[in-house]
Amino acid sequence: MIRDRFRAARLLALLIPLALLGGALAFQYIGKLYPCEMCWWQRYPHIAALVLAALAFVVPGRAARTALVGLAALAILLSGLIGVYHAGVEYHWWAGVTACTSTVSGPITLDSIMNAPIIRCDVAQWTLFHISLAGYNALFSSAGALAIFALMQRKAA
């Protein structure tokens, strides 16, 4: 039973960042919702979690696999916490960063810089049920990380 719980934790550690990064990229490239600076901050831990979880499938040794899954869960939780901060900035609960992100692509010229839209961190580009993408990342990442930690416990609850 413990072995099955660890397999489930390892699979979740791989699928959660894969799904959330896939969704973010779909919104960016299909939905044309470009990421702001804090959106990028949320992606970096998911990228790290994806690499760590993938390594947990190929690295020999139970202790190493357990450590990798635990680190992946921490990275997923970190992304969720950044999502909480970002959602709070979007809802104007607290102040955020002052940097904004531009969507310049191709050769960088003065014209391309001046015509690129600026993506603000304090304005949600998309919501569903009044929850922004940062809010959904906070919910799914935090809940997913907690589920992974729960599954990694040695004794069944």
Side-chain angles (χ1 to χ4, degrees):
M1 172 128 172
I2 293 172
R3 186 178 196 100
D4 293 336
R5 291 168 58 90
F6 179 74
R7 285 182 182 166
R10 184 172 58 173
L11 189 59
L12 272 179
L14 182 69
L15 294 179
I16 289 169
L18 185 64
L20 291 174
L21 281 171
L25 292 172
F27 273 100
Q28 180 178 344
Y29 291 106
I30 297 170
K32 303 296 182 198
L33 298 177
Y34 298 104
C36 70
E37 187 71 23
M38 292 196 317
C39 293
W40 281 107
W41 294 355
Q42 293 170 78
R43 290 182 186 190
Y44 298 138
H46 279 307
I47 293 166
L50 195 57
V51 170
L52 292 165
L55 285 172
F57 280 89
V58 296
V59 169
R62 170 95 172 148
R65 289 191 302 269
T66 301
L68 287 168
V69 171
L71 289 172
L74 283 174
I76 293 167
L77 182 60
L78 176 60
S79 180
L81 294 174
I82 296 168
V84 168
Y85 176 69
H86 188 185
V89 169
E90 290 174 336
Y91 295 125
H92 304 288
W93 294 340
W94 46 73
V97 297
T98 57
C100 289
T101 304
S102 179
T103 58
V104 175
S105 61
I108 297 176
T109 64
L110 181 58
D111 189 48
S112 69
I113 293 171
M114 297 303 291
N115 291 324
I118 293 179
I119 309 302
R120 293 178 45 160
C121 294
D122 64 344
V123 176
Q125 295 183 63
W126 180 92
T127 62
L128 177 64
F129 307 118
H130 303 289
I131 301 173
S132 67
L133 289 173
Y136 280 110
N137 180 55
L139 292 171
F140 293 137
S141 294
S142 300
L146 293 176
I148 293 166
F149 288 132
L151 286 167
M152 289 180 67
Q153 296 302 309
R154 292 222 180 260
K155 293 182 182 179

